[in-house]
Amino acid sequence: MEVYEAKLQDPNLDIKAKCTFATELRDSIEAWCQGTNYALFLAKFMPIFMETLMRGQPVFISTSPEQASRLRSCILEILNRLPMSPSEATEPYAVQVVDLCMQLVRMENEENAVLCMKIVMDFERYHTKVLADRVQPFLDLIQEMFESMEQTVKDTFDGPVPGVSQGIPSTPSNSQYSQSPRPGSPVAATSDLGGDQQQARSLLKGMHSFKVLAECPIIVVSLFQAYRNSVPKNVKAFVPRIKTVLMLQAKPQEKAHQDAKAQGKIFAGVSKDIKNRAAFGEFITAQVKTMSFLAYLLRVYAQQLTDFLPALPDIVVRLLQDCPREKS
């Protein structure tokens, strides 16, 4: 344990080497978190993990050396794998971890933001006493993601096809979703190339990511179950946002449905004018997960959804028609 501690703190060790040690630590996490070793492990490594995440910068270019080493991702994966039992072991770090991860969600790329969301969910579920006042800010953050989806859909599907961005995207309009080929196509196969042959692409920003949004419904349901007193207020806040997200359509896809209807036909599949098939698949997945969230709310709060119920059959049918075959 001392060797890993020294290596991860060594300022002269390059980031790829640190990632190697962090990866070994991650892959053997179960062994380090047994019995009395767990408290010692956390005491030694939590300060290192927190400092590394606070000091480092998010990466939005896939071929960046820091992204290649995946040090930040590896540390977040370790935090995501930490056992929550016994709760006494992780409780002293709960507030710091949750506060940092909520900050990182706003800054990080999509992959790391997903990990941050899962970490916050786990800590808040298992440390309800010390984190009770952190639940509402986290739910507010998720509501903000729902609110941003209308603009994200427009920026992703309704504008010109984006190219490879050479800078860090600060908004969805800065081509967070690069054009993606269908899985299995010759172009898609080139993404498996390593090193210098791999083409640079912009990584997504977490707050405007369909993939991150898709994680939110199960997170909210889990928090509702752990913090019952937060449910009434937040159901009222989530219902209109859920409606908005489910009603969203990519303009080219909406036009394909309208054109088919005008001819007395039914359109199923992905419009040829959807230039970013991968992003579209993630968008539909996020809507399907949001529909499952709605189904959960209908069990108890159907009265708040009465005006929306007539629209649900059409939305369900549309999602079935729009779902790319690789997502079915």
Side-chain angles (χ1 to χ4, degrees), residues 35-204:
T36 56
N37 279 339
Y38 193 18
L40 179 61
F41 172 86
L42 293 173
K44 285 181 176 293
F45 289 102
M46 272 299 198
I48 299 173
F49 296 157
M50 296 296 100
E51 182 183 358
T52 302
L53 292 172
M54 288 187 289
R55 186 180 65 242
Q57 293 297 317
V59 176
F60 293 91
I61 302 298
S62 62
T63 54
S64 164
E66 185 173 356
Q67 183 63 20
S69 70
R70 299 189 75 246
L71 179 59
R72 291 172 68 79
S73 297
C74 191
I75 289 175
L76 289 170
E77 286 170 0
I78 292 172
L79 294 178
N80 189 42
R81 295 185 186 188
L82 290 178
M84 290 293 114
S85 179
S87 60
E88 294 80 7
T90 51
E91 185 174 286
Y93 311 97
V95 171
Q96 184 183 15
V97 169
V98 165
D99 285 350
L100 177 58
C101 284
M102 284 201 291
Q103 292 177 30
L104 292 178
V105 169
R106 295 186 177 277
M107 302 164 50
E108 273 289 357
N109 66 58
E110 167 188 67
E111 295 173 358
N112 288 350
V114 166
L115 289 170
C116 288
M117 296 290 287
K118 291 180 177 179
I119 292 166
V120 174
M121 177 187 71
D122 284 342
F123 271 85
E124 290 194 341
R125 284 175 58 207
Y126 285 91
H127 298 292
T128 54
K129 292 183 179 179
V130 297
L131 293 176
D133 61 344
R134 263 58 175 189
V135 174
Q136 191 57 51
F138 189 41
L139 291 171
D140 291 342
L141 177 70
I142 294 173
Q143 290 167 20
E144 187 177 334
M145 288 184 190
F146 272 82
E147 288 177 350
S148 72
M149 281 302 111
E150 184 172 4
Q151 188 62 47
T152 300
V153 170
K154 290 179 181 178
D155 292 337
T156 304
F157 303 114
D158 299 354
V161 179
V164 175
S165 173
Q166 297 302 317
I168 295 176
S170 59
T171 65
S173 59
N174 279 341
S175 68
Q176 292 185 61
Y177 286 96
S178 58
Q179 185 174 0
S180 302
R182 295 188 182 193
S185 71
V187 179
T190 62
S191 64
D192 294 330
L193 295 174
D196 296 335
Q197 298 182 64
Q198 187 169 346
Q199 184 180 7
R201 63 182 177 85
S202 294
L203 297 175
L204 320 183

